[in-house]
Amino acid sequence: GDLLGGGAEERATRKGHGRASGFFLVGSDAEIVVQLVHVGGQLVVRDHVDDAAVPVLMRQARAVAYPSRGEGFGLPVLEALACGAEVVTTAGTVMEEVADSAATFTSAGDSGQLADALRDAVNRAAGDREARSQVAITRAAKFTWTATADAHRDVYRRLAKG
């Protein structure tokens, strides 16, 4: 199975409903909130959501923004891709390796650029959104426990040979 437990394609095709029209923000970054308000639409702010709600929200989202200056592996981005969400995240981080061409990348700390990328995602035509969703699902499906174990085994073998 994939790294997130279960089939990415199955999770994405279970959505069976439209994308959300507003913005749902978890955490509190005032600068980003101000930029999102200028994007338009309803803004919902929460300090926390239950883990079980995260994939549901990601499947409903027009885009998932994950601005980060340093994430160990990029699991939040991978989870969003597995849900078929369009991801907007930070360039120059591990997210580029995880998402590859399946995400839109913005400069760290540039809230205006982030808002522009989110505006583009929200205004994208339905057919383009569906195509990007399939790219995201395909990218996430490449991350499996088997591939992870194989890569670790290969490193250990190379180290053992000296």
Side-chain angles (χ1 to χ4, degrees), residues 18-80:
R19 301 283 187 176
S21 60
F23 293 95
F24 193 93
L25 177 70
V26 179
S28 58
D29 185 328
E31 186 177 355
I32 292 173
V33 171
V34 169
Q35 292 296 329
L36 289 176
V37 170
H38 288 104
V39 170
Q42 179 184 6
L43 178 65
V44 178
V45 180
R46 297 283 185 268
D47 289 331
H48 175 77
V49 294
D50 292 333
D51 289 344
V54 172
V56 173
L57 291 170
M58 287 182 176
R59 283 192 297 273
Q60 292 176 351
R62 287 265 178 112
V64 171
Y66 192 76
S68 176
R69 293 177 195 262
E71 166 71 25
F73 173 73
L75 280 176
V77 167
L78 184 57
E79 184 174 18

Side-chain angles (χ1 to χ4, degrees), residues 7-160:
E9 248 179 276
E10 177 187 347
R11 278 196 302 282
T13 57
R14 281 189 307 204
K15 59 186 170 203
H17 44 72
R19 301 283 187 176
S21 60
F23 293 95
F24 193 93
L25 177 70
V26 179
S28 58
D29 185 328
E31 186 177 355
I32 292 173
V33 171
V34 169
Q35 292 296 329
L36 289 176
V37 170
H38 288 104
V39 170
Q42 179 184 6
L43 178 65
V44 178
V45 180
R46 297 283 185 268
D47 289 331
H48 175 77
V49 294
D50 292 333
D51 289 344
V54 172
V56 173
L57 291 170
M58 287 182 176
R59 283 192 297 273
Q60 292 176 351
R62 287 265 178 112
V64 171
Y66 192 76
S68 176
R69 293 177 195 262
E71 166 71 25
F73 173 73
L75 280 176
V77 167
L78 184 57
E79 184 174 18
L81 294 174
C83 290
E86 183 166 344
V87 174
V88 178
T89 190
T90 310
T93 65
V94 70
M95 270 57 83
E96 283 187 299
E97 184 178 342
V98 170
D100 196 37
S101 63
T104 300
F105 298 97
T106 62
S107 299
D110 189 335
S111 58
Q113 193 179 50
L114 176 62
D116 289 344
L118 288 170
R119 186 178 300 105
D120 291 346
V122 168
N123 293 324
R124 200 173 314 287
D128 292 339
R129 281 195 313 268
E130 184 57 35
R132 290 181 69 91
S133 179
Q134 290 306 309
V135 169
I137 292 166
T138 300
R139 178 64 183 168
K142 293 180 180 189
F143 291 86
T144 66
W145 285 117
T146 301
T148 300
D150 289 347
H152 279 85
R153 182 194 63 232
D154 293 346
V155 168
Y156 294 141
R157 283 183 177 161
R158 281 194 303 268
L159 290 172

